[in-house]
């Protein structure tokens, strides 16, 4: 497994970047020219999750009443899956190994988040920020200032802050150790298309993942309460500079996931509850999202659209989600999201007693329901998002992976920032 040390990142420059981040033959690079000839996927790809998922091109099995797939899809790879059952409803080059950009931060969070108590406070050193890649997205962490782990995760999820990833990696035992930890976790999840080189998703030689793997990773992360809450947070207050003799400043940060927040030309998606977006020179735009309508929860991943329309990655993700909800029960699965290697799936098992892996109580889970609730409208523009009634929807016993059960997706609010 190739590993690039942090010191290598310090020498990156605009001139050296193309050579240093040359990708393997099974990966593709982004093309800055709309309409340019696009690379072809490999003829042979992984068949994890089913043989059809290893075939190039679009895979779908429409029933008599199923809607056709959207025409406006230009992404090199995409997948739509039922988040609870794991059924893959449709895919396009699902196992094509492509640069993941900051969607790889989902794997970083799923690996490291459970290891660091959110109340732990850390003073940042110059060395921890020295090797952040040129042109990285930043949340604005300053050396010789203290931050809680909670603050740092807000920086990762909302602003995709590579500075926050570097600090948390050091708290996890170092950059190289975190790469190894993430790779081990990817292998455990059976995300076998994924090669980790840089925990923050910064363009690096041989760093690849796939739409299938990113969806597996998101599904694993969404089973953790803190992961769910962070990835669905729309805005938060972040610690700023501390000047001598004055109270420490703070500033608001907003999630860069446009299906959560909206933007020019992008409408917040009804029922969206995360997960992560990314964009780099070699990856193009990437996005994994989770949304619910009624009792159906879907995951979608879109990688590197070539369309010239603004925010194409979000618009294509929204079209695929719309199709997935409309096609539910009308399209036969073309594959499945596999559980982790060591998972006890709990199929047919009675609900666990006591507290689950992320502190949710199983006793309250059996009688709870979900509903779609409108968040505050007007200037917020969030629209409808998932709300939870009666407490937690499900509790996961330690070591039991959620299959054919539900997790509680949090409600969204832009007017109550996380602090």
């Amino acid at each position: 497994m190739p590993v690039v040390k942090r010191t290598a990142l310090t020498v990156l420059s605009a001139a050296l970047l193309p050579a240093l981040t040359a990708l393997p033959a099974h990966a593709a690079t982004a093309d800055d020219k709309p309409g340019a000839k696009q690379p072809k996927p490999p003829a042979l790809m992984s068949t994890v999750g089913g043989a059809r998922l290893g075939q190039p091109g679009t895979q779908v099995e429409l029933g008599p009443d199923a809607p056709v797939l959207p025409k406006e899809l230009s992404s090199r790879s995409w997948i739509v899956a039922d988040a609870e059952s794991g059924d893959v409803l449709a895919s396009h080059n699902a196992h094509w190994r492509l640069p993941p950009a900051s969607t790889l931060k989902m794997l970083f969070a799923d690996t490291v988040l459970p290891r660091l108590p959110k109340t732990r406070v850390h003073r940042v050193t110059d060395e921890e920020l020295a090797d952040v890649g040129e042109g990285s997205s930043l949340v604005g962490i300053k050396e010789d200032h203290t931050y809680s782990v909670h603050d740092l995760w807000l920086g990762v999820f909302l602003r995709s802050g590579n500075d926050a990833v570097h600090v948390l990696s050091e708290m996890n035992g170092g950059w190289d150790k975190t790469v190894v930890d993430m790779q081990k976790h990817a292998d455990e999840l059976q995300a076998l298309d994924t090669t980790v080189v840089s925990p923050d998703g910064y363009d690096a030689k041989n760093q690849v993942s796939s739409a299938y793997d990113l969806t597996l990773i998101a599904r694993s992360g969404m089973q953790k309460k803190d992961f769910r809450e962070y990835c669905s947070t729309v805005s938060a207050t972040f610690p700023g500079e501390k000047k001598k003799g004055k109270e420490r400043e703070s500033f608001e940060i907003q999630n860069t996931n446009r299906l959560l927040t909206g933007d020019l030309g992008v409408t917040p998606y009804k029922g969206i509850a995360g997960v992560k977006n990314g964009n780099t020179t070699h990856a193009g735009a990437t996005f994994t999202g989770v949304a619910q309508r009624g009792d159906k929860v879907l995951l979608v991943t879109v990688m590197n659209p070539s369309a010239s329309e603004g925010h194409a990655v979000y618009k294509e993700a929204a079209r695929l989600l719309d199709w997935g909800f409309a096609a539910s029960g009308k399209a036969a699965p073309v594959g499945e999201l596999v559980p982790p290697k060591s998972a006890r799936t709990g199929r047919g098992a009675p609900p666990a007693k006591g507290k689950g892996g992320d502190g949710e109580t199983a006793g309250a889970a059996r009688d709870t329901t979900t509903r779609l609730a409108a968040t505050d409208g007007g200037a917020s523009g969030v629209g409808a998002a998932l709300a939870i009634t009666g407490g937690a929807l499900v509790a996961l016993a330690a070591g039991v992976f959620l299959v054919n059960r539900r997790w509680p997706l949090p409600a969204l609010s832009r007017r109550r920032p996380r602090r």
Side-chain angles (χ1 to χ4, degrees):
M1 179 189 69
V3 175
V4 172
K5 295 186 177 181
R6 288 193 303 157
T7 53
L9 294 176
T10 62
V11 299
L12 290 177
S13 66
L16 292 177
L17 186 59
L20 186 59
T21 58
L23 295 166
H26 56 260
T29 58
D31 195 315
D32 294 330
K33 299 178 181 179
K37 185 177 180 180
Q38 297 297 308
K40 295 182 178 180
L44 296 176
M45 293 180 282
S46 169
T47 57
V48 172
R52 291 192 64 173
L53 301 183
Q55 298 175 16
T58 300
Q59 308 300 320
V60 66
E61 195 69 42
L62 299 177
D65 299 324
V68 298
L69 285 163
K71 293 182 180 179
E72 303 87 355
L73 297 175
S74 66
S75 297
R76 293 181 182 175
S77 176
W78 55 257
I79 192 169
V80 184
D82 186 306
E84 292 168 356
S85 70
D87 290 340
V88 175
L89 305 181
S91 70
H92 181 76
N93 303 325
H95 281 290
W96 193 357
R97 298 178 181 181
L98 299 166
S102 286
T103 49
L104 194 66
K105 289 184 173 78
M106 295 187 297
L107 179 60
F108 172 72
D110 197 36
T111 303
V112 177
L113 194 153
R115 303 178 179 196
L116 301 174
K118 64 168 64 177
T119 56
R120 179 177 167 185
V121 175
H122 177 76
R123 183 173 295 276
V124 176
T125 67
D126 293 346
E127 292 77 13
E128 290 169 342
L129 300 178
D131 300 329
V132 176
E134 181 181 345
S136 287
S137 53
L138 306 172
V139 67
I141 293 171
K142 295 184 177 294
E143 63 275 4
D144 203 33
H145 282 60
T146 59
Y147 299 86
S148 68
V149 168
H150 172 71
D151 294 330
L152 296 171
W153 283 120
L154 288 172
V156 171
F157 278 93
L158 273 67
R159 298 304 303 169
S160 203
N162 288 2
D163 46 358
V165 173
H166 275 254
V167 174
L168 286 165
S169 294
E170 289 302 317
M171 296 177 70
N172 184 56
W175 191 256
D176 292 347
K177 177 181 181 298
T178 300
V179 168
V180 172
D181 290 346
M182 289 172 64
Q183 190 66 63
K184 287 181 178 178
H185 188 50
D187 294 344
E188 161 62 16
L189 294 178
Q190 301 198 65
L192 304 182
D193 299 323
T194 300
T195 299
V196 182
V197 179
S198 175
D200 53 12
Y202 192 83
D203 282 333
K205 184 179 179 180
N206 296 323
Q207 180 153 272
V208 290
S209 189
S210 67
Y212 183 86
D213 281 13
L214 292 173
T215 308
L216 281 186
I217 293 163
R219 191 184 189 211
S220 175
M222 291 299 292
Q223 298 192 51
K224 298 174 176 62
K225 181 180 179 182
D226 286 343
F227 188 106
R228 293 194 300 271
E229 292 182 355
Y230 285 128
C231 78
S232 67
T233 297
V234 176
S235 62
T237 300
F238 195 81
E241 188 175 1
K242 176 68 171 71
K243 297 180 180 179
K244 187 175 181 180
K246 295 184 179 180
E247 185 177 351
R248 187 172 184 178
E249 299 173 355
S250 64
F251 57 94
E252 184 175 287
I253 57 175
Q254 188 178 69
N255 204 309
T256 56
N257 177 353
R258 299 308 181 192
L259 289 187
L260 274 175
T261 64
D263 194 11
L264 295 175
V266 180
T267 302
Y269 192 82
K270 181 178 180 179
I272 194 76
V275 186
K276 190 72 187 74
N277 56 299
N279 197 315
T280 66
T281 301
H282 287 287
T286 58
F287 176 71
T288 297
V290 63
Q292 176 167 359
R293 288 187 186 173
D295 61 355
K296 183 63 62 177
V297 182
L298 297 181
L299 280 163
V300 62
T301 295
V302 174
M303 301 187 76
N304 199 349
S306 61
S308 59
E309 65 176 334
H311 300 303
V313 73
Y314 299 113
K315 293 177 182 178
E316 295 189 16
R319 290 170 191 143
L320 286 168
L321 285 169
D322 284 344
W323 175 85
F325 288 121
S328 179
K330 302 174 183 178
V334 294
E336 66 172 346
L337 300 177
V338 295
K341 292 177 182 178
S342 62
R344 292 184 295 115
T345 63
R347 289 185 186 269
K353 296 180 180 180
K355 290 188 175 182
D358 58 4
E360 297 170 86
T361 305
R366 290 187 290 269
D367 301 321
T368 56
T369 59
T370 58
R371 62 182 174 87
L372 286 173
T375 58
D376 49 332
S380 75
V382 173
L386 203 67
I388 305 302
T389 61
L393 206 104
V394 69
L396 302 177
V400 177
F401 190 77
L402 182 151
V403 175
N404 288 325
R405 298 184 187 174
R406 298 175 185 166
W407 56 69
L409 299 181
L412 308 180
S413 174
R414 291 181 68 185
R415 296 183 176 176
R416 288 177 293 171
R418 295 278 300 272
R419 298 181 183 273

